[in-house]
Amino acid sequence: MTTMIHTTREELQQQRGRLLAEVRMSYDELSRRAASYNLSSDELDVWHTIEGIDYLLEGDC
């Protein structure tokens, strides 16, 4: 049986904000550091999660 998690757009945006606060970086800084392979493993996990959130938010039109 498949489990589905239903999350609102607002909840995704809040989670995104919490993740950025957790690594103490703006989205732009995190993105630049990811592009230059300059993230710790924890920061990289946050980056991948934010990429997933952004994908979901883009599809929620």
Side-chain angles (χ1 to χ4, degrees):
M1 183 169 171
T2 303
T3 302
M4 293 184 68
I5 299 171
H6 296 279
T7 305
T8 66
R9 180 174 190 78
E10 182 178 296
E11 289 169 330
L12 288 171
Q13 291 170 332
Q14 290 172 353
Q15 181 183 7
R16 190 179 187 277
R18 283 191 304 271
L19 288 166
L20 289 170
E22 181 181 305
V23 293
R24 296 187 174 122
M25 285 186 239
S26 67
Y27 175 83
D28 290 336
E29 181 180 0
L30 187 63
S31 175
R32 281 193 305 272
R33 290 187 57 195
S36 65
Y37 302 97
N38 192 20
L39 294 174
S40 70
S41 61
D42 289 339
E43 292 166 342
L44 186 59
D45 287 343
V46 167
W47 174 245
H48 288 305
T49 302
I50 287 176
E51 285 182 312
I53 289 171
D54 288 349
Y55 174 80
L56 293 172
L57 290 172
E58 286 175 14
D60 185 30
C61 296

